[in-house]
Structures are given as structure tokens and as C-alpha cells.
Amino acid sequence: MISSASTLSAAFLLHRRDYSNSSLLVECFTEQQGRFPAVVKGAKGRGKSASGLLQPFVPLLIGWSGRGEVKTLTDYEAAGRLFQLSGKALFCGFYLNELLMRLLQRNDPHERLFHIYRRLLNQLSENGVDEAALRYFELDMLHELGYGIPLTMEHIQGKPVEADKCYQFVQDHGVIECPAENEHAIRGQTLLSLESRTLGGSAEQREARKLLRTVLGFYLGDKPLKSRELFRHA
């Protein structure tokens, strides 16, 4: 059954796997409903066209039914071309999907995050990997999920972060001033550049990556991200 586009929701598939002999179990990330799992019955019997659409990085319009946790995907059609990712850009795409799978609660809509994700896929497809863009996505995602990091105000004294000083991030508090020799020290300039989306050279990129990996690690827990292994072996 094909529904009119007005009844369908913009979506991407974050993951898919075989389910029974002819069906697929997919993890949907939708503009209006957030993330949820769904079964696509008989998908593997519908030929290459279905298999080509039902994969990550393809903009979709989908419809579904069911009141339980796992929905049934009833309709799907392309809403644009596949974002062609290769090499490290493909690994980045897998990384984004894994973050969303691990951190988004099911059926919790995040419309703004959906559009940020789509823009970043387009950027990866058109221009390849941009480390700064990945950091901004991580920062935006944390903000959307209610885990935002105060980057411009020192926690203890409540003073604005200064570019020429060093700071350490403390979970549930924010950044506090620390000596430059502290192993967790981050330059104030890096914090300000991250906040203003103007990350510059390799030192700022490295410090921003270290900071956000620390913050994300707290919410991800002890289970490592599989996508990071791809980068290590690239």
C-alpha cells in the first residue's frame, strides 16, 4: 500500500538486520516521532529496489502502524538521493548512527537534531570529513538531549572563561580553572571556539575531541563504540 506523502514522516534508518526469512528489523530515526524499531515484512522478497532503499543514509518518507514498542513499517519511499559516503566519511556516518542509537530515548522527538543530522550527512557526502563539524554535532546532540555543556562560564567563581587560561571539565558542574600542566587541561580559547563554532588548528581540534569524548563517555557507559574501532583500523 502506498500512502500520500502528506501522511508519511521524514526518516532515516540508523540500523538494519535480517528478521525471519524474508523480513527486516530496522531502527528508524524520524523527524516527528524520534527513534523506534520497526519490522518490514517481506522486504527481502521485494527485490533490489526495497533493499536499496532500506539502508542507512537514504532520506526516506515512511509510514508505520502498531501500538507496541516495535512498529510495523507499512509504507516507505525515497525522499532524496542516497548520501554517498566512503572511506572515513562512511566511518563517520556509522559513528553518528551509533551515537543516536545509544543516546536517544525511543519515541522522544528531536526535530532540530534530525535536521542537524541530515545536514551533516550531506556535508560528509559532498566534502568528506570535517573534524570540527563532528564536534559541533556532538555538542548539539548533547544540548538537545539536555546534557549541554556550559563552555563560556567558569563554574566555581562564575567568571567568564578567558582565552589565555586553562580549564578542566568536571561532570555535572562544567569547567573550572586549572593549571596548564593538568593532564585534563583545555585552553580557554578552545572552549570559546567550540562555543562559537570557530574551531581552528590541530591543537583546538585535539582538545575539543578530548573534551567531548570525556563527556560522551559518561553517558555512553563502559560499552565501547564499535564505530571507533573502524577508525583505529583505517
Side-chain angles (χ1 to χ4, degrees):
M1 180 179 67
I2 300 297
S3 302
S4 65
S6 61
T7 66
L8 304 179
S9 178
F12 287 92
L13 300 188
L14 300 177
H15 187 264
R16 60 172 262 179
R17 65 178 176 87
D18 292 346
Y19 183 77
S20 76
N21 290 331
S22 61
S23 301
L24 294 172
L25 180 63
V26 298
E27 195 73 28
C28 305
F29 178 37
T30 69
E31 180 181 18
Q32 298 170 346
Q33 189 67 26
R35 180 177 75 90
F36 60 84
V39 172
V40 193
K41 295 180 179 178
K44 291 188 288 183
R46 299 178 195 172
K48 292 184 178 179
S49 60
S51 179
L53 280 181
L54 296 173
Q55 61 177 311
F57 317 129
V58 177
L60 297 171
L61 292 171
I62 65 171
W64 61 90
S65 63
R67 297 183 178 180
E69 182 180 12
V70 181
K71 313 298 183 184
T72 298
L73 209 65
T74 55
D75 304 287
Y76 54 90
E77 60 187 61
R81 62 176 178 80
L82 164 71
F83 289 113
Q84 296 280 358
L85 307 181
S86 60
K88 289 188 176 181
L90 179 60
F91 299 162
C92 287
F94 289 147
Y95 172 68
L96 300 179
N97 285 5
E98 192 171 10
L99 281 181
L100 294 171
M101 287 274 290
R102 293 275 296 272
L103 294 178
L104 282 182
Q105 297 295 315
R106 283 177 169 170
N107 302 303
D108 184 15
H110 289 280
E111 184 175 341
R112 180 173 177 269
L113 183 60
F114 181 88
H115 291 291
I116 292 170
Y117 169 77
R118 181 164 56 189
R119 285 197 300 269
L120 184 50
L121 288 185
N122 182 68
Q123 184 173 344
L124 288 170
S125 176
E126 295 290 334
N127 305 315
V129 178
D130 181 342
E131 289 285 341
L134 291 176
R135 304 292 82 80
Y136 305 150
F137 176 85
E138 293 165 341
L139 196 66
D140 285 332
M141 181 182 62
L142 288 166
H143 177 76
E144 287 294 312
L145 298 180
Y147 306 141
I149 313 169
L151 296 173
T152 60
M153 193 67 66
E154 199 270 349
H155 174 70
I156 294 179
Q157 299 184 47
K159 294 181 178 180
V161 164
E162 298 180 34
D164 59 351
K165 292 185 177 180
C166 288
Y167 300 84
Q168 176 183 353
F169 176 76
V170 179
Q171 190 67 45
D172 296 327
H173 294 291
V175 295
I176 61 173
E177 191 174 342
C178 71
E181 58 269 20
N182 186 311
E183 63 176 326
H184 302 293
I186 300 169
R187 293 172 301 160
Q189 183 58 62
T190 297
L191 298 174
L192 297 174
S193 296
L194 185 56
E195 175 68 24
S196 62
R197 307 299 200 270
T198 56
L199 282 175
S202 59
E204 286 193 1
Q205 301 274 2
R206 184 172 58 254
E207 289 184 340
R209 182 171 62 249
K210 180 176 69 172
L211 168 65
L212 285 160
R213 180 167 291 192
T214 297
V215 179
L216 288 167
F218 178 82
Y219 298 107
L220 290 168
D222 296 331
K223 184 179 178 182
L225 289 170
K226 294 179 180 179
S227 51
R228 283 184 181 156
E229 291 299 318
L230 297 176
F231 286 99
R232 292 192 182 99
H233 294 94

